[in-house]
Every structure is written in C-alpha cells, then in structure tokens.
Amino acid sequence: MAGLAYSVGKREINYYFSVRSAKALALGAVLLLAACHAASRRYRGDDTCEYLLSSGRFLGEKVWQPHSCMMHKYKNSEAKNCLLDKHIVFLGDSRIRQLFYSFIKIINPQVKEEGNKHGNIPFEDKSASIKVDFLWYPEVNGSMRQRIKSWTEGSVAKPHIIVAGAATWSIKIHNGSNEALTQYKINITSIAPLLEKLAKSSDVYWILQDPVYEDMLSESRKMITNEKIDAYNEAAVRILNSSSRNSKAKVKVFSVSKLIAQETIMKSSDGLHLPESSRDTNAMILMNVYCNKIMKPIDGSCCQPQPPLTLIQKLAFCFFTLSIVGYFIISLIHRNNYRKNKSCTDLEMGEEKKPTINTPNVSTLEMLLHCFCKLGLIMTYFYLCDRANLFMKENKFYTHSSFFIPIVYILVLGVFYTENTKEFLPVYMHIRVLVAAYLFQTGYGHFSYFWIKGDFGVYRVCQVLFRLNFLVVVLCIVMDRPYQFYYFVPLVTVWFMIIYATLAMWPQIVQKKANAGICVFQTYSIWASSCKNKTECNELHPSVSVVQILAFILIRNIPGYVRSVYSSFFAWFGKISLELFICQYHIWLAADTKGILVLIPGYPMFNVIVSTFIFVCVAHEISQITNDLAQIVVPKDNSTLLKRLLCIAGFFSGLLLFSAVQEQSKPLT
C-alpha cells in the first residue's frame, strides 16, 4: 500500500510540475525579482558606499557582512598600492586613536600602540610615501575648528582623507549636562561648512559615537550613558550636510560602527573602548570605502561602479538584439503564411488544401535565431547577476547548517526518484571517460584506446568539442573573462584532443605493454600515497585519485538490489552537469565565484532555494540550446564541416584581434 501511494504521488508531481512549467516559473521569478530590485534601488539609491557605511550584520562572531555588497580584506601590499603618496589624518579622541592604530596596522602589521595617548601620533611608510597622522582633539571646540579651517584656507596642505569624531569627553567633563549638548550643537554647526568644503576635494568621514557598556564603566565615566550618546549622534547627523543636501560633496557619516559596537561592546575591557577585532573591522570598512574604486578587487563589490561595456560586449549585445528582432520577424511571417495556407480551400473540390511546407533553409534559420534569442535573454540575466549592480552580492560564509540541510534535502529527493533498470551503459561510459582522462595524465593513455577506438569520427569529435566549449566561449564574450578562467573546460578540451590524436597514431598498443603499464602504475600509486601535507597531496592527487575511481566502479557494480536501482533525479542532473558547473560562476555564486548572489535579501535559506531553482532551470535550457545549435552548426558532410571550421577559426582570430586592441586601449591605473 505504501509503495502504491509512493508511485502515485511521484506521478502526480511529474504531471503537475514538468520541466516546462518549472522554467516558466523561473522566468516569472526573475522578472519579478528584477523589478523589485530595480524599484528598491530607485527608492533607496544604488550607492553601495552608503550601505557599507551604515548597515550590515555579523556572520558568525567576527565576520562583518555589509548590506547588499561584498567587503574585500586588504593585505598590506594592496593597502600600500592604494594609498601611494597619500596623507591621511585621524582627528578626535581615544576612540579615534584606536581606529587610527587599526588602520595603520593594515599598512604595516608590525606597528605597536605606543606614544603619548593624549597627544599627536605620526606614522609614515617611506616605501609608499604614505603619511598617517593622529591629531588629539577630544572635543568639538574652537581648537578643532581652527585646525580644520587651516586646511580650507590653503596655508597647510589638505589631507586626502580626514577621519574625525568626538563626544564622550564633552559628556564626561561637563557631567552629562544639557548645556554641554547645546554647546556641542553650536560647535559642530560652526565646523560643518568647513568639513563640507573639504569634502569637495578630500574624503571626509565623521565617526558617530559607539554605544557603551554601562555596567562596566568606571565611576569617572558613569555619566557617559547610551542615552546621552544617542542625543549627541542625533545632533551630528542632523547638522552635518544640512547645507549641501543636493550636492555630491558631502561629509560621509560613518554610522556602521554603532551596529558593530552593539554586538561586541560586551567584550570591551573598560566598557568604553571597542575590542580589537571590532576596531579592525571598522578600519577595514574605511579601507574598502576609499580603495575599492581604485583597486577594483573582484571580491569587493562595495563602492565599485558598474564596469563599462567593452567593445566585444557591445558587439555581442548588438548580435543578440538583432537575433531577437530577426526571430520575431521571421516567426511572424511564418505564422501569417501558415494561417493563410490553412484557411485557403479548394472551392471546386470543397476540401481544405494542405499547408505548404517551409523550405529547409527558412526553418533552419528560424531555429537558429530562436536559439540565439533565448540565449540572448539568458546572457542578459548573467550580466545583470554578476556585472551590473541590479542584484546584491554577499561574502561567502560557511556554517554546518547551511551545508548539511540542503544536502539532506537533495538526498531525500534523490531517494524519492529511484528507478529500477538493467541498463548500465551511461554510468559505465561516464566512468570510462574519467578513467581515460586520469590515465593519460599519469602516462597510461594507452588504456583509453579501447574507449576511443570505435565510433569517434571527425563529426562526433566536433560535436563533443562544440558541446564542451560553446557556453564558455559565449561567457568569455559577455562576461569579459579569458578562456582560461573557466579552467575545467580548457583542461578537458586539451586532453580530449591529445587523447584522440595520440591513440590514433602508430604504434598500436599490445597486451604486453599494457601489463608494463599496470606494474608501474601500482608502484607509483604506493609511492604517491605517502604525501605528508596539503601542497604535496595536491601535486600528487592526479596520481593517487585512481584508487577512488576504481573503488567507485567496484561499488557501482556490486550484485543485488543496489545494482539494479538508480536515482533518476541525480541522473537528470548528470545530463546537465557541464552547464551546472559553468553557470554557477555567475548566477548561483557571484563575483566569479568569490561571493554569493543575493536575490532575496534578509532570508539566506530562502535565497538559496530560489537562486538554486533559477540556476538549475537556466542550466537545463542552455543544455538544450547547445544541443540544438550543435545539430545546425556541426554538419555531417565533411566538406561542409571543413568550411564551418574555417569560418569558426576566422571568427576566433577576429575576436582575439578585438581583444588585443581593447587591452592596449585600456588606460593605465
């Protein structure tokens, strides 16, 4: 009874939820999500710097995730390249001094926190001509105003970056009085125009005051309450930039430190100053705000503008646009002709005439344009996901739940879709391909001879090569990436051609040589299995991995019930494994696999489900497009095939020429 219910339930699911309906649902989801993200960016703005400076959350205990964008972790060499010949000034109290030290430690990790705590502290890196100064101004008063005014009048060289902030000393010295808050408002009102003037030529950041852990404060600091801090922050936010609402030259309010402090102030040593890890996070945020637009790290999408379209990308856009327009025109003509022929009747015989059959050229052209039409729409989705700023990206972060829960779901689905079969050829052939690729790389390619000897003619080889490389070539054009970037496909392509060429050459393999080969293989495998560290294991992996492959073959061919059962769910995914592997670079992960694509912010698990569903549907559609195009582009006639290969060679030569011209025309940064 349970087996009958299981079978009926599976048929019901397959009936109401087919691949076609899944793709329609995925298309609807993409259009809806794109519209929502476009509306959100129009309403909230598309400046990711604002998100970086104002919002985010912790992933785990120490990893800070800005809202909607990825934060790069700068090394000291990168920091020096970004801040070359720059002068940075930190202006404020002891909290700003701690931020100063965390910042210069990114440039030079060997720096120690020494010097007069209530005085100015200079830092200089002569190798990169970087100067970073801390200026002790614990209160917003006339002295701070005079220092800032000196930069605006031109008597003193302006710093390239100014980081300022102060309030807790005013609260402490005046015992938290309301008169002190009133004076603070007057003072910050007097320096706000000066900061805004500096912001026209320098990057100016005002650090809002972090909350305190009141239970841990000393008696001399008990008056520094979170209520008072909120009042001072509110005054600073309201006054700063009040005279330049419509101007791009604004003081950047650094409010994200409050969110970081709310999570970490309990670990403070005195209730006032942040723990070192939190200060380091704030310093890294500052580095990202200033340096991302200069260094353009692939895993640092915050504060990076959308990259301009290259010449090749523009040509690809024109090609896909013409394909879409051409397909709709030809399809419209074809349907009109079909309707006319169908409605035409023989008045004398009183019978409807059969519709005329389209010529093969027209139907082939229509099919070709249809494939490029769908591919163009899919490539638009690729570009929007990983090159445009429409959808969000976040840094990777591993947790056991985010890994194992989806795995359990997938395993349950795999067990649900089990089938009985006596056909083992697809699995067996796949294993033989893996073994052949492995054996040739380790010097035993002659075993592959029996795999490739029979039915791999020129036509079949060209089909395989087209199937392997078509999607990668299109992505190289659309996503502006080199062919080697998709390393798996170049690797498989090269070794496939080498295996094919080598095994077709003289001399042929005999049994005696095959038995020299087995002995050497066994000896080398024993030696290779003795690696002691990760680097050594990685170098020797191609040699020892045969053990796992052979073990899989043995397990797969064990007798009994297990040998006659397979998962149609996993088999379905196996048919599109190539597309899944390549597409995940841009529409499942993000930033060329450096981050995670965020279609639904704020709900990580739901986002994974939706993005995975769309990703799988897209991969399946690309697989079908590739198969359809292979039937058209790769003809069985050898002479026609040769002409096509020459055309393809000419196309790639032109593409390489365009790419070379484009690289030479890029400005040096």
Side-chain angles (χ1 to χ4, degrees):
M1 195 68 180
L4 178 61
Y6 163 81
S7 179
V8 172
K10 186 164 64 174
R11 286 199 301 270
E12 288 290 317
I13 292 175
N14 292 336
Y15 178 77
Y16 288 106
F17 195 74
S18 63
V19 173
R20 185 181 182 88
S21 61
K23 291 178 181 177
L25 182 60
L27 177 61
V30 168
L31 296 176
L32 178 62
L33 290 169
C36 292
H37 279 266
S40 174
R41 288 194 176 274
R42 184 176 180 84
Y43 175 73
R44 299 183 59 183
D46 58 355
D47 186 3
T48 53
C49 280
E50 292 290 336
Y51 297 140
L52 180 59
L53 289 170
S54 62
S55 58
R57 69 185 191 279
F58 272 106
L59 303 176
E61 294 184 357
K62 297 182 180 180
V63 180
W64 180 254
Q65 173 59 62
H67 176 69
S68 84
C69 62
M70 299 164 57
M71 192 170 75
H72 178 65
K73 187 174 182 179
Y74 277 89
K75 301 176 181 177
N76 62 329
S77 58
E78 295 173 318
K80 289 181 180 181
N81 288 335
C82 168
L83 302 175
L84 186 69
D85 299 324
K86 296 294 188 297
H87 182 205
I88 302 102
V89 171
F90 286 78
L91 194 77
D93 54 14
S94 58
R95 287 177 160 185
I96 300 297
R97 183 183 65 239
Q98 288 187 316
L99 183 59
F100 157 79
Y101 274 117
S102 294
F103 187 86
I104 62 176
K105 283 180 180 179
I106 300 176
I107 303 171
N108 183 1
Q110 306 303 322
V111 171
K112 296 182 179 179
E113 298 188 20
E114 299 175 343
N116 183 9
K117 291 185 177 181
H118 294 171
N120 300 339
I121 304 173
F123 168 81
E124 185 175 4
D125 188 290
K126 295 183 179 179
S127 64
S129 299
I130 302 173
K131 287 183 63 179
V132 187
D133 293 322
F134 168 71
L135 304 181
W136 173 251
Y137 288 94
E139 289 189 87
V140 180
N141 53 20
S143 298
M144 179 183 283
R145 184 182 185 279
Q146 191 60 35
R147 168 66 74 170
I148 297 173
K149 187 178 180 181
S150 67
W151 292 326
T152 62
E153 292 177 344
S155 59
V156 180
K158 300 177 184 176
H160 298 89
I161 304 174
I162 300 170
V163 182
T168 55
W169 269 67
S170 297
I171 301 173
K172 177 183 176 181
I173 293 175
H174 301 283
N175 201 28
S177 66
N178 292 330
E179 291 77 9
L181 176 59
T182 302
Q183 187 61 44
Y184 179 84
K185 293 178 181 178
I186 295 172
N187 292 338
I188 201 169
T189 301
S190 68
I191 69 171
L194 301 176
L195 292 174
E196 292 170 14
K197 187 176 181 180
L198 282 174
K200 295 180 180 179
S201 57
S202 305
D203 278 28
V204 182
Y205 303 91
W206 185 265
I207 310 295
L208 295 185
Q209 295 300 301
D210 302 327
V212 296
Y213 190 41
E214 297 180 7
D215 295 341
M216 193 179 288
L217 292 174
S218 62
E219 288 299 324
S220 61
R221 292 172 175 169
K222 286 295 184 180
M223 70 291 295
I224 307 176
T225 64
N226 288 321
E227 182 181 359
K228 291 293 183 182
I229 286 176
D230 290 340
Y232 276 72
N233 283 337
E234 183 182 352
V237 171
R238 187 176 66 253
I239 295 170
L240 290 173
N241 301 318
S242 60
S243 63
S244 58
R245 293 292 181 188
N246 300 320
S247 173
K248 292 183 178 179
K250 290 186 177 182
V251 177
K252 299 177 176 64
V253 178
F254 196 94
S255 59
V256 70
S257 59
K258 293 195 307 177
L259 300 178
I260 296 173
Q262 287 172 0
E263 301 291 334
T264 60
I265 193 63
M266 291 78 70
K267 300 178 182 178
S268 170
S269 59
D270 58 6
L272 179 67
H273 299 97
L274 291 178
E276 186 176 3
S277 61
S278 302
R279 288 181 272 140
D280 293 344
T281 300
N282 287 329
M284 195 60 70
I285 291 174
L286 278 175
M287 191 68 71
N288 274 258
V289 172
Y290 185 80
C291 290
N292 281 4
K293 57 181 176 291
I294 299 173
M295 303 301 293
K296 296 180 173 61
I298 189 64
D299 61 341
S301 62
C302 299
C303 297
Q304 277 205 53
Q306 182 174 329
L309 289 173
T310 64
L311 176 61
I312 295 177
Q313 287 175 318
K314 292 177 181 177
L315 292 175
F317 174 78
C318 293
F319 172 78
F320 285 124
T321 302
L322 292 175
S323 298
I324 293 172
V325 173
Y327 169 71
F328 280 109
I329 292 175
I330 291 180
S331 179
L332 184 62
I333 294 173
H334 172 75
R335 290 183 180 181
N336 287 337
N337 291 336
Y338 180 79
R339 290 172 183 172
K340 291 179 181 178
N341 292 329
K342 187 175 182 180
S343 61
C344 182
T345 57
D346 188 344
L347 298 178
E348 293 182 359
M349 300 298 296
E351 294 179 357
E352 186 179 354
K353 291 184 178 180
K354 294 181 179 179
T356 57
I357 301 175
N358 291 337
T359 60
N361 290 334
V362 174
S363 62
T364 301
L365 178 60
E366 185 177 356
M367 182 178 178
L368 189 66
L369 290 176
H370 184 226
C371 290
F372 284 128
C373 176
K374 294 190 293 184
L375 187 64
L377 296 175
I378 291 174
M379 289 299 111
T380 301
Y381 178 65
F382 271 79
Y383 187 85
L384 292 177
C385 285
D386 211 20
R387 291 296 178 267
N389 291 328
L390 178 63
F391 296 118
M392 302 176 180
K393 304 177 181 68
E394 291 187 352
N395 295 91
K396 293 180 180 178
F397 184 75
Y398 171 81
T399 62
H400 291 305
S401 60
S402 64
F403 178 77
F404 286 108
I405 292 177
I407 290 294
V408 172
Y409 287 158
I410 292 173
L411 289 176
V412 169
L413 287 173
V415 173
F416 183 76
Y417 284 95
T418 54
E419 304 287 346
N420 292 323
T421 182
K422 296 181 179 179
E423 189 67 51
F424 298 103
L425 183 60
V427 176
Y428 180 55
M429 289 298 291
H430 183 63
I431 297 303
R432 291 174 75 178
V433 171
L434 291 176
V435 174
Y438 159 76
L439 288 175
F440 195 89
Q441 292 182 61
T442 54
Y444 300 98
H446 51 259
F447 286 113
S448 312
Y449 175 77
F450 302 102
W451 163 66
I452 202 169
K453 179 180 178 181
D455 50 353
F456 265 61
V458 177
Y459 166 73
R460 184 65 64 186
V461 170
C462 291
Q463 285 243 334
V464 171
L465 293 178
F466 182 88
R467 175 83 165 78
L468 281 173
N469 290 273
F470 174 71
L471 176 57
V472 166
V473 170
V474 173
L475 288 178
C476 288
I477 297 171
V478 174
M479 307 303 289
D480 189 28
R481 281 293 175 264
Y483 178 63
Q484 293 82 359
F485 176 75
Y486 304 93
Y487 61 94
F488 177 76
V489 171
L491 177 68
V492 173
T493 300
V494 169
W495 282 109
F496 178 84
M497 295 175 67
I498 291 177
I499 290 174
Y500 183 82
T502 302
L503 299 180
M505 293 169 56
W506 184 89
Q508 304 298 334
I509 304 304
V510 296
Q511 184 65 35
K512 184 177 180 181
K513 292 182 179 180
N515 294 335
I518 294 176
C519 294
V520 174
F521 158 70
Q522 291 175 342
T523 304
Y524 186 76
S525 296
I526 295 172
W527 173 79
S529 61
S530 61
C531 64
K532 299 178 181 179
N533 53 60
K534 185 177 185 297
T535 303
E536 186 178 355
C537 290
N538 287 341
E539 293 176 355
L540 300 177
H541 175 72
S543 303
V544 300
S545 59
V546 70
V547 177
Q548 290 90 337
I549 296 175
L550 293 176
F552 180 82
I553 295 175
L554 293 174
I555 294 173
R556 182 61 186 86
N557 290 280
I558 59 177
Y561 173 76
V562 178
R563 192 169 181 244
S564 63
V565 175
Y566 79 102
S567 172
S568 58
F569 178 79
F570 292 141
W572 186 87
F573 278 93
K575 294 176 182 178
I576 58 171
S577 57
L578 177 65
E579 287 75 17
L580 289 173
F581 180 82
I582 299 171
C583 291
Q584 54 109 11
Y585 277 69
H586 305 294
I587 63 170
W588 194 42
L589 300 176
D592 300 334
T593 72
K594 302 297 183 182
I596 296 173
L597 178 66
V598 179
L599 299 178
I600 304 176
Y603 300 91
M605 192 58 65
F606 188 41
N607 177 72
V608 170
I609 294 172
V610 173
S611 61
T612 302
F613 174 70
I614 297 173
F615 157 65
V616 172
C617 290
V618 169
H620 188 272
E621 185 62 29
I622 291 178
S623 178
Q624 290 187 334
I625 292 172
T626 305
N627 290 331
D628 292 340
L629 287 175
Q631 304 303 319
I632 301 172
V633 176
V634 185
K636 293 184 178 180
D637 180 63
N638 287 337
S639 60
T640 307
L641 179 59
L642 179 60
K643 294 177 182 178
R644 296 275 176 88
L645 291 176
L646 292 175
C647 292
I648 292 173
F651 169 76
F652 281 113
S653 299
L655 196 64
L656 290 174
L657 179 62
F658 271 123
S659 180
V661 172
Q662 179 178 289
E663 287 295 325
Q664 291 181 355
S665 63
K666 284 184 178 179
L668 296 176
T669 56

